[in-house]
Amino acid sequence: MMDQIWYVFVNTVYVGVWGIAGIMMISAIASWLPFDAENKLIDFCDAVSEAIVSPIASFLDRFEAVRQMPFDISFFLTFLVLMLTVNLLEFLK
């Protein structure tokens, strides 16, 4: 019984993490394309991405070297953390 609960839990988190990663990729690609300002799908993807990325961005903002970078690495690091989580979950399956 416990094995089944663990299996369901791990697979649910696995699918959720992949879903968040997919939403982040849609948001990243959409930021380069001209979309209508009132596109609900893009607004949703941006809101989810921002909610996931903002804690890592605020953590990274504590470091002077990161603040002086000419580009924002918080999105990349968040995506990296998600992919590491996926790999860990595949190991736990």
Side-chain angles (χ1 to χ4, degrees):
M1 179 68 172
M2 224 29 205
D3 289 339
Q4 293 171 341
I5 293 172
W6 180 252
Y7 178 78
V8 169
F9 173 74
V10 168
N11 281 319
T12 303
V13 173
Y14 181 82
V15 169
V17 170
W18 268 115
I20 291 169
I23 289 171
M24 287 179 64
M25 291 312 302
I26 291 170
S27 178
I29 292 169
S31 71
W32 288 78
L33 301 173
F35 278 101
D36 183 23
E38 297 192 19
N39 189 318
K40 299 294 183 194
L41 175 64
I42 302 304
D43 289 344
F44 172 77
C45 292
D46 287 342
V48 170
S49 294
E50 186 61 31
I52 301 298
V53 172
S54 64
I56 291 180
S58 64
F59 173 74
L60 291 175
D61 198 40
R62 297 177 187 176
F63 302 102
E64 184 68 26
V66 175
R67 281 196 307 259
Q68 291 180 357
M69 287 183 166
F71 50 86
D72 184 17
I73 64 167
S74 58
F75 187 91
F76 172 73
L77 287 180
T78 303
F79 195 78
L80 181 65
V81 167
L82 288 175
M83 292 300 102
L84 289 173
T85 304
V86 164
N87 286 331
L88 176 66
L89 290 171
E90 286 178 355
F91 176 75
L92 294 175
K93 280 186 178 182

